[in-house]
Amino acid sequence: METSDKKIVNSFKVKEELNPDIWNQEDGTFKMKPEIRDSLLKIVEDYLAFIDLDIDIEDVTLTGSLSNYNWSDFSDVDLHILIDAPNSKNSLLKKYLDSRRIIWNSLRDITVKDFDVEIYVQDISEPHFASGVYSVMYDDWISEPKYVDFVIEPTKILTKSKGWIDKIDKVEDDSKRKEAEEVLDNIALLKDKLKKYRSAGLNDEGEYSYENLTFKFLRRNGYIKKLHDIRNDLIDQTLTVEEKVFGI
């Protein structure tokens, strides 16, 4: 196993406690440190000022590995802003908030205890698979995680990841030989398959499913970004008009 692969696989190991930079342990449970909570609420205030839109916030939650026992150096501060927006998946409001969120995330270089901050706007009816969810707004657990003595099989993660890595490498090769529109269609299909693959694992076995760990491996070794970059480069090609140089 290569050093980088080994580091990623080791990052999935379950810790015996939640991250001590984020949490205080009190009476057998964990409570978010007051200074961390204040910081996260200020970050949300900055995002709301950035979108410049009057919306009702139902809650602000911390989810992901930093609210669970599987945190690592690869973790980020996964902040979800919950809104009540019927049919928000396809609504103009959701599309606007998503676009502003992407811009905000790209413009801000904010860290909390050296963890990058990522904001996501979530409708309250939207399914979310996580065993650890903490309400930053109300300072209490919505779903308190339980310690799970999970033993990782590195070979299983690497084998499953290799299949997706080969598919993404093939897309990269195709992008140099085939028409951009054809490759873009294949990328859309591959992204959809990967999303369903991960969702199936989360639905069946939760965060410790090998489908989810495979997705995380691909994100941490750069292959998810690689797929997005190939797509963006192809879109640039399809929209670019080359300048013709005429001889005199």
Side-chain angles (χ1 to χ4, degrees):
M1 194 189 311
E2 296 182 7
T3 303
S4 58
D5 289 349
K6 184 177 181 179
K7 183 178 180 181
I8 294 173
V9 171
N10 286 337
S11 72
F12 298 137
K13 290 182 178 179
V14 179
K15 313 297 188 297
E16 294 184 354
E17 62 178 4
L18 301 189
N19 188 288
D21 287 332
I22 308 296
W23 307 94
N24 286 323
Q25 191 167 8
E26 302 175 0
D27 300 325
T29 188
F30 289 91
K31 196 80 170 179
M32 183 175 286
K33 291 187 173 183
E35 64 272 22
I36 299 297
R37 179 172 178 264
D38 290 344
S39 177
L40 297 184
L41 291 175
K42 287 178 182 178
I43 291 170
V44 171
E45 286 178 8
D46 180 78
Y47 170 75
L48 294 176
F50 179 76
I51 64 173
D52 192 23
L53 192 65
D54 185 20
I55 58 174
D56 293 327
I57 305 300
E58 299 291 327
D59 204 350
V60 176
T61 63
L62 177 70
T63 185
S65 57
L66 277 181
S67 61
N68 215 320
Y69 291 90
N70 58 339
W71 57 272
S72 72
D73 292 342
F74 292 97
S75 296
D76 56 29
V77 178
D78 194 358
L79 267 182
H80 285 214
I81 299 175
L82 275 64
I83 62 173
D84 185 5
N87 303 316
S88 65
K89 182 178 181 181
N90 297 312
S91 72
L92 290 176
L93 173 62
K94 186 63 165 64
K95 290 178 180 179
Y96 172 77
L97 293 175
D98 279 344
S99 65
R100 297 299 285 174
R101 172 186 63 83
I102 293 169
I103 296 171
W104 184 90
N105 282 331
S106 67
L107 291 175
R108 296 293 188 264
D109 185 18
I110 302 172
T111 60
V112 174
K113 296 295 182 178
D114 290 331
F115 295 108
D116 292 333
V117 175
E118 288 286 334
I119 276 183
Y120 178 77
V121 180
Q122 175 188 335
D123 181 66
I124 57 174
S125 63
E126 182 180 336
H128 179 63
F129 301 100
S131 58
V133 181
Y134 191 86
S135 170
V136 182
M137 181 178 289
Y138 298 106
D139 198 19
D140 201 4
W141 287 103
I142 295 172
S143 176
E144 187 167 2
K146 305 299 182 185
Y147 174 79
V148 178
D149 188 12
F150 178 75
V151 179
I152 294 171
E153 296 181 38
T155 303
K156 186 177 288 189
I157 295 175
L158 294 173
T159 300
K160 290 178 179 293
S161 298
K162 181 65 165 55
W164 291 102
I165 287 171
D166 289 344
K167 289 182 175 68
I168 295 171
D169 282 340
K170 183 178 185 305
V171 166
E172 182 180 35
D173 184 55
D174 288 346
S175 70
K176 301 171 184 176
R177 300 184 297 104
K178 296 184 178 181
E179 293 294 327
E181 289 80 3
E182 179 184 351
V183 182
L184 284 169
D185 287 343
N186 291 336
I187 289 174
L189 289 173
L190 184 58
K191 289 177 64 178
D192 185 59
K193 287 180 180 178
L194 184 55
K195 181 180 179 180
K196 289 178 179 177
Y197 176 81
R198 185 193 189 192
S199 295
L202 286 169
N203 191 41
D204 291 341
E205 299 180 30
E207 292 112 320
Y208 298 111
S209 68
Y210 279 95
E211 291 82 0
N212 185 46
L213 294 179
T214 296
F215 179 86
K216 286 179 174 288
F217 184 93
L218 295 172
R219 188 165 60 191
R220 293 177 183 182
N221 76 350
Y223 262 78
I224 297 294
K225 181 180 184 301
K226 182 177 182 178
L227 187 61
H228 289 318
D229 288 346
I230 295 170
R231 176 180 179 273
N232 290 336
D233 288 345
L234 288 171
I235 291 175
D236 288 346
Q237 290 178 32
T238 62
L239 298 178
T240 297
V241 178
E242 297 291 343
E243 181 182 6
K244 290 185 177 179
V245 179
F246 296 94
I248 298 176

